[in-house]
Amino acid sequence: MFRSERRNEIMSLIRRDGRVTVTSLARQYGISEDSIRKDLQELARQGFCKRVYGGAVLPDGEEPESDIQDDSYSNVQINSQGAAYATVPREIPHTPSLHDRISQLRHARSVYPVNVSQNNTASPRSDTQSKESLESCANTVPTSESSQVPSASQQYFSAQSAFSQTPSFDSASEQALAEPGKEDLGRMAVARRAYYEINDGDTVFLDISRTNIYIAQLIAAGNKRVIVTSNMLDVLRILSNLPHVTALGTGGFLNSELNGFVGSATISLIEPLLFSKAFIGASGINLKQNAVTSNDIDSGATKEHIIQKASYKFLLADAEKFNYSSAYRFASINDFSAVITDSTDPHVFARLRRLAVPVLRAGS
C-alpha cells in the first residue's frame, strides 16, 4: 500500500470514529509506530486532525460521522506528494489487522534468532577495507539502470537473508512480512547493504530512522559483536538483552512524535562519545541544493552532532528520499562518507558523482 492510500484510510477512520491511536494503526497496517506518527503529523499539518498524546482526534468543533452525518471532507483525498485534492466520494474498505500473526512471527524470531552468516562466505571487513571500499566506489558509481549490484553485496546477502530466513510458521504469517509495502522494500534493501559495513568490534550509532529498525533486526539476528548506541526506542527494544550486542541509550528529552531522544539534552549526553560508524536517516534529500533535510529541527540538530562524532558516516537513502525535501537542512550530502541507496535513477548517480560522494548500491 502506498503512503497516500494509507493516509486516506487513516483520515477516513478519524472522521468515522473521532479518534485513532498510534498503536492500533501500527498493528492494523503492519508497519512501525514511527511511520504512523509521521502520517498523523502530516494529516494534522493539513488540518484533517489534531495530534494528541498516543494518537489523533478530529479537529476542534467537529464530530465523528458515527454521531452526525458530515460530508464536508468526504471528497478530500491525498496524492502521492502529500497534497490534498478533491475526488469522487468512495467507501474505503477496512484493512484487517495483522497484529496476531506479526506478533507471533516476531516473538519466534526473538526466541530462535537466525544467524545471518550461516550461508555467507564473505569475511568481516576491517575499517581499512571499509575505507578502501568507499574510495573505490567514488570512481565506480553506476550511471544506468542496467548497472549491477556490487558482487560482494550479492555474496554476503543471499536469498536466505535475515528478512526471509525465519522458522517455519503458517503461510499467512510469513506472507504478512514477505509482502511489505513499496517503501519498506527499499528500506530493507538499504538496511542489508548497511549491515555489510558493520564489523565485529565496531561502535555503531543508529539514529531515529525506520531503516535503522531493519538494521537493528539484522544485528539482532546475526552474530557480530558490536556496541550500538541509539536515540530511538524501537532500536533499543530490538537490541536489548542480546549476548552479542551492548546496547546504549542516549537519554535526554523524549519526543513522543519521533519515539526517540532529541534536542540539546541529548546532544550534551552524546558529546563525550565517539563512534566508528554512524548510520543516519533523513526525511528528504535535495540533490540540487546538496542538502540532507529533516522534518524536525531538534531531530536535525541531533543528527548533525552525531555526524561529527563518527569516523565513518553513512546516509541511508532509499529511492523515495530523493523525491522529497523537508524544511530543515542538517547536513550536506558530501558530509557523509558514503550514500547507501536502492535508487536506479542515473540522474541521481550522476549528481552524486559530481559531488564526489561514494555510492554503495543496495540490491532489490
Side-chain angles (χ1 to χ4, degrees), residues 343-356:
S343 176
T344 58
D345 188 344
H347 299 292
V348 170
F349 297 131
R351 182 61 183 173
L352 292 174
R353 184 194 298 155
R354 285 196 292 272
L355 293 172

Side-chain angles (χ1 to χ4, degrees), residues 312-347:
Y312 297 95
K313 30 267 187 177
F314 299 91
L315 177 59
L316 307 174
D318 57 273
E320 294 296 322
K321 294 296 191 298
F322 296 103
N323 301 320
Y324 183 78
S325 181
S326 301
Y328 183 79
R329 172 180 183 156
F330 67 85
S332 298
I333 300 173
N334 47 15
D335 287 335
F336 291 88
S337 306
V339 176
I340 305 177
T341 183
D342 66 318
S343 176
T344 58
D345 188 344
H347 299 292

Side-chain angles (χ1 to χ4, degrees), residues 20-230:
V20 293
T21 65
V22 171
T23 301
S24 62
L25 290 175
R27 290 174 179 174
Q28 176 174 325
Y29 292 105
I31 60 177
S32 72
E33 293 184 1
D34 181 56
S35 293
I36 293 297
R37 290 188 186 94
K38 290 180 180 178
D39 290 342
L40 296 179
Q41 185 178 13
E42 178 61 24
L43 291 175
R45 187 185 68 80
Q46 297 191 33
F48 297 120
C49 68
K50 178 182 177 181
R51 286 288 282 121
V52 296
Y53 182 78
V57 297
L58 280 171
D60 294 336
E62 295 188 23
E63 297 183 18
E65 292 178 351
S66 56
D67 296 335
I68 180 171
Q69 185 63 33
D70 183 2
D71 294 329
S72 59
Y73 291 116
S74 61
N75 65 335
V76 177
Q77 300 291 315
I78 300 173
N79 64 19
S80 59
Q81 285 74 40
Y85 68 97
T87 186
V88 178
R90 64 183 180 89
E91 181 180 355
I92 300 177
H94 180 71
T95 304
S97 174
L98 297 174
H99 170 61
D100 292 337
R101 294 172 178 174
I102 293 177
S103 296
Q104 178 189 18
L105 190 54
R106 285 176 176 168
H107 172 71
R109 280 179 169 173
S110 66
V111 176
Y112 304 103
V114 179
N115 189 337
V116 178
S117 65
Q118 287 175 350
N119 296 323
N120 297 335
T121 58
S123 59
R125 293 159 31 128
S126 66
D127 281 348
T128 302
Q129 290 173 314
S130 295
K131 184 176 181 181
E132 292 173 353
S133 170
L134 298 180
E135 292 173 348
S136 64
C137 283
N139 298 320
T140 58
V141 176
T143 57
S144 68
E145 295 186 7
S146 62
S147 301
Q148 299 298 317
V149 177
S151 59
S153 178
Q154 291 175 330
Q155 294 172 4
Y156 195 77
F157 292 105
S158 63
Q160 299 179 5
S161 66
F163 290 118
S164 60
Q165 202 176 50
T166 60
S168 178
F169 295 100
D170 61 277
S171 59
S173 295
E174 294 180 353
Q175 186 177 10
L177 292 182
E179 296 182 0
K182 180 181 178 182
E183 300 170 13
D184 284 341
L185 285 174
R187 293 188 181 107
M188 286 180 178
V190 171
R192 292 188 184 101
R193 185 62 182 85
Y195 179 74
Y196 181 48
E197 297 300 319
I198 299 175
N199 308 309
D200 279 323
D202 275 348
T203 55
V204 176
F205 195 98
L206 303 180
D207 86 321
I208 298 176
S209 165
R210 176 62 188 269
T211 306
N212 274 330
I213 293 177
Y214 292 125
I215 296 177
Q217 290 174 349
L218 282 169
I219 293 174
N223 60 0
K224 296 178 181 180
R225 294 188 172 275
V226 292
I227 299 174
V228 178
T229 304
S230 181

